Every structure is written in C-alpha cells, then in structure tokens.
Amino acid sequence: MKKTKIVVAYSGGLDTSVMVKWLMEKYDAEIITATGDLGQRKELAGVKEKAKKTGVAKVYVQDLTKEFVEQYIFPALKAGALYEKAYPMATSLGRPLLAKMLVDIARKEGATVVAHGCTGKGNDQVRFEVSVAALAPDLKVLAPLREWEFKSREEEIAYAKHHGIPVAATKASPYSIDENIWGTSIECGVLEDPMVEPPPDAYQRTVAPEEAPDKAVSISIDFELGIPVGLGGKKIDSVKLIHHLNDLGGMHGIGRIDLVENRLVGIKSREIYEAPAATILHFAHTELERLTLDKSVFHMKSQLAQEYANLVYNGLWYSPLREALDAFVNQTQKTVSGVVNVKLFKGNISIVGRTSPHSLYNTKLATYTTEDQFDHRASEGFIKIYGLPVKTFHQVQYGMNGTRKKGSRKAHRL
Ligand code: ARG
C-alpha cells in the first residue's frame, strides 16, 4: 500500500525535528519537509542537511523573500497596519505565505496531509489552518504539538536522542524566537513576567538605545504609490532596501517594541519585537500620507488600518475583507509618492523633511506672511453656522451664562 505523504512546515528547531519522526512513526508516513525563507538571515543555515538526517523522503527550502515583501509586507505597510497600534506583524504576515507554500508543495507531491509545529494556545495555528482551509479545503491539517505526549523540552530531547535525531548541541535559548525580514518576535522565559525588563540577550538584532552611536544618521526614503523604492534618490531592490534599513536601524536602537497584546485565543501575552525597517518605513510612509492625503481620506484610512491589522493578526489574510480593504488602500496610494527625510538617533526616529508632487500643503494658504491668500473674513460666517448646534444645545440646557437654568425640570435633566 502506498504510504500517506505529509508535507511538514519545518524550521529545523527541536519541535519540528521531533515532529517529523513522530509523524513517521504514528502514521507510517512519507515525510516531505518544507522550509520557507522569509528573509530571516541566520536561522536557515544547515536546515537542509538537518532534515535529511532525520530521514525524510524529500526536502524543500524555498526562498520566498521577494514574494513576502511585495505581496504581503507592502500591502500591510500601505494600509498602515500595526496590531494594537504597535506590532508590525512580521510573524502574522509570514504565516499565510508559509501556508500557501505548504499547499503548493502538497499539490506538486500529491500529498493529502500537511502539518505544522504551532502550539495549541497561539495565533499561528489559526493562521496556518484558516489559510490552508481557504486555499485547499480538501487537505487534512495535523498539529502534533496539540496532541502529542511530550510535556517538556527535556522529554522531546530524550525522544530525539533515542531516535538519533540531531538536536543542536548549543545551549538552547530560553526564548522562543521567530524571525523574518519584517522583524523578530521573542517570547517565553523571563519575558513572561510583564514587569521584568527584557535582559540584553533577549534582543537579537538591535542595540540598546543607550549604546547606539552618539551621532544621528539621516536617511532619505523615496516612495512611489505608497511603496519604498529608493534611498537617497537611488533606486534599490525592495528586499535589499529592507535589509539595509534593518541593519542601519538596528545599529541605532530603532524598532524595539515591548508589548502586552491580546491574542485571538483569548489570552494576553507579553511579546518583545524588534522591527527596525518596519518601524522606519511605517513612520515615513505615514508622514508622506500626512502631506498627500485629503483630510477625510487620511482619517478614514487610519480607522481602517486597525481593521486591516486585526484581520491579518487573526489569520484572515485570504478573506474577502482583505481584498476589499486593499482596493480602498490602493486607491488612496495613487498620490503617496515623494521623499521623506528622517533622522535616527538612539532609538528614536524623527521626521526632518518631506516633499511630493502631490503635496496638498499649500504655502499660500498656510503662510502667516504677506503672501497669505487665505480668506480670513470667510471664517466668520463659517464659525457661526458650524457652531450653531453646540450654541443651541447650551442655551437650552444651561441657559445664557453656561449654568443650568433655575427651575429646569428634574425629570428632563440630562
Ligand atoms: N504574538 C505574535 C503573533 O502572534 C508573535 C508570535 C511569535 N511566535 C513565536 N514562535 N515566537 O504574531
């Protein structure tokens, strides 16, 4: 009889290494590992060899960085999507693409099952499974970590040793770390106490602001249609641009985020994020929008940014709402082209200049000099009518001098 083929989302860490063997045994299955490169720089070293040593039938390592940047990160950047106004969602944005990779490989290999190494109390399981269900409803999804017998890391290591699975000889990090080009997510260990300041070793890609250079660095970012396309007037590939801003921002202590957030599964968790490029780009992009977007569009867009962030965080990337919001956002981005100058200094970003051919900033209207063309007299009538409802309300409820009228009936008191 032909063996069941299972495509496993594989990182090379302890959980997914043990998982491969566990699935082989439990289901007598043929395992295909799939590892997506989302621009994480160090994690992938040796992952192919590791997988092979575990005895899998086939190993895939796919570079998805460009697709990640252009099809997932940039739409979220254009939307201004920061979960709970803080988290740029490196992990959340990566999951739907990794799910798509699993589905693509399953199709190619004729596999009927996919598996992931997410735990039963996180957001990632939801993102994987909702995405797979959307893209390939016939595939079965397994989540071994939700059901297997291991209660601790030690038990997993013992199992690995027993089965000759290579596990890293280096002392395991006390943290759970997920990294890609858009940022690093760090949790567990002492970080679980929200009162404990993260120890220096929790941070992977940024220096502490107090240890950053004493001299500020200036950068000039070129945007076209809401997307960063160059630095200092020179066009640069999107992946390189983000790597460059990660390096530069990291050196200046930019993009450290310490967040108690609301998970989809109903708990609060404390997470540390490092996202230098994401922090710089979200900041600069919004500054350009302040210059080029009409007031009501800017206001509406910032409300929808939260909706957008919620749906990404909650695993609904492949939803009709995301497509509809993208259509709105893309319409607004038609004028979001121009240049933003920022300075990085000891963990801080400041805006120092912005310009755009679509700028709605009109010096002749804004100036307080003799060049002024604003019709000051028109303000008088405007204020009279604009303030009429407030004036009427106060007259009725509080009388002429702002205090409640004597004898106003209690039953009607507001
Ligand atoms: N809380 C974040 C999210 O849900 C990050 C999860 C990070 N995962 C990890 N294995 N460290 O997007």
Side-chain angles (χ1 to χ4, degrees), residues 309-385:
N310 288 345
L311 80 83
V312 173
Y313 187 87
N314 293 334
L316 301 176
W317 181 262
Y318 298 110
S319 65
L321 178 58
R322 204 261 305 163
E323 288 180 20
L325 289 179
D326 275 342
F328 170 83
V329 168
N330 284 333
Q331 174 67 26
T332 67
Q333 300 300 290
K334 287 185 174 163
T335 58
V336 186
S337 302
V339 180
V340 182
N341 291 342
V342 297
K343 261 187 188 170
L344 312 182
F345 183 62
K346 291 193 180 289
N348 257 303
I349 316 178
S350 34
I351 171 93
V352 291
R354 63 297 253 170
T355 181
S356 165
H358 307 289
S359 170
L360 299 178
Y361 183 92
N362 185 334
T363 310
K364 293 224 162 77
L365 292 177
T367 186
Y368 282 94
T369 67
T370 52
E371 297 288 293
D372 187 9
Q373 290 180 358
F374 186 89
D375 183 354
H376 292 233
R377 283 172 168 276
S379 289
E380 190 181 336
F382 166 72
I383 295 164
K384 221 178 233 166
I385 292 171

Side-chain angles (χ1 to χ4, degrees), residues 87 89 91-92 95 123-124 127 176-178 185-187 261 263 269 271 273 313:
Y87 166 40
M89 301 190 292
T91 299
S92 334
R95 298 311 183 203
N123 301 309
D124 288 333
R127 297 169 185 148
S176 160
I177 298 172
D178 181 59
S185 307
I186 308 142
E187 53 190 22
E261 73 189 31
R263 282 194 190 168
S269 68
E271 313 267 344
Y273 299 110
Y313 187 87

Side-chain angles (χ1 to χ4, degrees), residues 10-11 35-45 47 61-65 68 95 98 178-184 205 243 246:
Y10 180 76
S11 72
T35 308
D37 183 351
L38 300 182
Q40 61 272 46
R41 277 176 167 172
K42 44 188 177 200
E43 257 185 25
L44 286 181
V47 84
V61 179
Q62 294 191 336
D63 184 1
L64 307 172
T65 314
F68 184 41
R95 298 311 183 203
L98 293 176
D178 181 59
E179 183 188 306
N180 66 45
I181 192 171
W182 204 227
T184 306
R205 63 204 280 176
H243 278 315
N246 273 330

Side-chain angles (χ1 to χ4, degrees), residues 34-291:
T35 308
D37 183 351
L38 300 182
Q40 61 272 46
R41 277 176 167 172
K42 44 188 177 200
E43 257 185 25
L44 286 181
V47 84
K48 225 176 203 159
E49 293 64 36
K50 243 189 205 166
K52 280 186 186 150
K53 277 189 199 150
T54 317
V56 305
K58 203 159 178 183
V59 176
Y60 281 86
V61 179
Q62 294 191 336
D63 184 1
L64 307 172
T65 314
K66 188 88 180 161
E67 186 179 0
F68 184 41
V69 167
E70 297 192 343
Q71 307 297 322
Y72 295 76
I73 290 174
F74 282 169
L77 173 65
K78 287 192 276 186
L82 296 169
Y83 184 62
E84 299 190 335
K85 297 193 175 168
Y87 166 40
M89 301 190 292
T91 299
S92 334
L93 286 163
R95 298 311 183 203
L97 176 54
L98 293 176
K100 180 170 166 281
M101 173 192 71
L102 289 182
V103 167
D104 289 345
I105 294 174
R107 292 295 188 230
K108 208 170 137 199
E109 295 290 337
T112 51
V113 182
V114 297
H116 63 73
C118 308
T119 72
K121 65 193 272 190
N123 301 309
D124 288 333
Q125 53 176 346
V126 184
R127 297 169 185 148
F128 263 116
E129 291 175 39
V130 171
S131 298
V132 171
L135 299 175
D138 55 306
L139 287 183
K140 187 174 161 59
V141 186
L142 294 176
L145 270 72
R146 284 201 298 243
E147 50 167 304
W148 70 18
E149 59 275 25
F150 311 117
K151 299 248 156 7
S152 67
R153 221 182 140 77
E154 288 64 39
E155 288 182 27
E156 286 183 50
I157 292 173
Y159 178 89
K161 286 211 172 119
H162 180 73
H163 288 90
I165 302 165
V167 288
T170 50
K171 199 173 152 276
S173 159
Y175 311 109
S176 160
I177 298 172
D178 181 59
E179 183 188 306
N180 66 45
I181 192 171
W182 204 227
T184 306
S185 307
I186 308 142
E187 53 190 22
C188 300
V190 290
L191 303 175
E192 284 178 359
D193 181 348
M195 191 56 182
V196 167
E197 182 176 352
D201 75 342
Y203 292 103
Q204 314 293 313
R205 63 204 280 176
T206 55
V207 304
E210 58 269 33
E211 274 152 33
D214 291 328
K215 207 171 160 318
V217 65
S218 301
I219 21 179
S220 182
I221 308 171
D222 308 306
F223 284 91
E224 260 170 35
L225 304 174
I227 285 169
V229 293
L231 292 173
K234 256 187 38 207
K235 284 251 179 306
I236 163 167
D237 164 72
S238 55
V239 171
K240 280 196 190 131
L241 184 144
I242 297 178
H243 278 315
H244 178 74
L245 292 181
N246 273 330
D247 292 342
L248 198 63
M251 253 169 60
H252 287 268
I254 306 289
R256 287 186 170 192
I257 300 152
D258 180 338
L259 186 66
V260 173
E261 73 189 31
N262 291 294
R263 282 194 190 168
L264 177 57
V265 293
I267 58 174
K268 286 189 189 292
S269 68
R270 194 269 191 109
E271 313 267 344
I272 301 299
Y273 299 110
E274 295 176 281
T279 302
I280 295 167
L281 288 172
H282 268 289
F283 177 85
H285 176 258
T286 302
E287 292 300 327
L288 190 56
E289 289 190 329
R290 292 183 197 282
L291 190 70

